[in-house]
Amino acid sequence: MVQASDSLIWLCVRNNNSFLKKKNGSTSRSGSVHFSTEKGNLYSISSFKYSGLAQSKTIDISCVEGDDSRAKAVLSTKTTKASSAPSKGSAATPINKNFRRVEKTI
């Protein structure tokens, strides 16, 4: 697959992607607000700076169900070397230690 720059990818997906949520303002003065729900977007704001699709390096913290039905946190990072292959481009690290160790990991 051909490598593309982050800004080119953002220009292609900024107005049309499946994760985009558009909310209209309640008054005529407040315009519409664009939110995004993709993986790697921690702030849920649809902008180039926070985009999980367009950035080559992203981080995501999610909650998964454990073996003993307890929720556990997982830190996922997207690597730049495999940015063109989404299935190989992320590494998940479980965060189930005490808070001081988790803080150093993050």
Side-chain angles (χ1 to χ4, degrees):
M1 186 172 198
V2 177
Q3 292 284 344
S5 67
D6 294 346
S7 59
L8 178 64
I9 293 172
W10 173 248
L11 289 175
C12 294
V13 300
R14 71 177 171 179
N15 291 326
N16 303 312
N17 65 45
S18 62
F19 303 106
L20 192 61
K21 305 290 181 198
K22 296 179 182 178
K23 300 288 182 184
N24 290 331
S26 58
T27 64
S28 62
R29 290 179 62 190
S30 62
S32 64
V33 181
H34 297 251
F35 295 107
S36 185
T37 59
E38 76 246 7
K39 186 175 180 179
N41 189 343
L42 296 177
Y43 285 99
S44 297
I45 298 173
S46 180
S47 69
F48 175 70
K49 182 178 180 180
Y50 301 116
S51 176
L53 297 172
Q55 296 292 334
S56 59
K57 292 171 64 176
T58 59
I59 188 170
D60 187 45
I61 299 173
S62 60
C63 183
V64 295
E65 200 65 32
D67 294 335
D68 54 354
S69 70
R70 294 180 63 194
K72 295 182 180 182
V74 174
L75 176 73
S76 302
T77 56
K78 183 177 171 183
T79 59
T80 57
K81 291 182 179 180
S83 62
S84 62
S87 62
K88 298 177 185 176
S90 64
T93 306
I95 305 174
N96 50 1
K97 302 170 186 149
N98 63 8
F99 182 73
R100 291 185 184 185
R101 289 174 141 179
V102 170
E103 184 180 22
K104 289 178 183 178
T105 303
I106 295 173

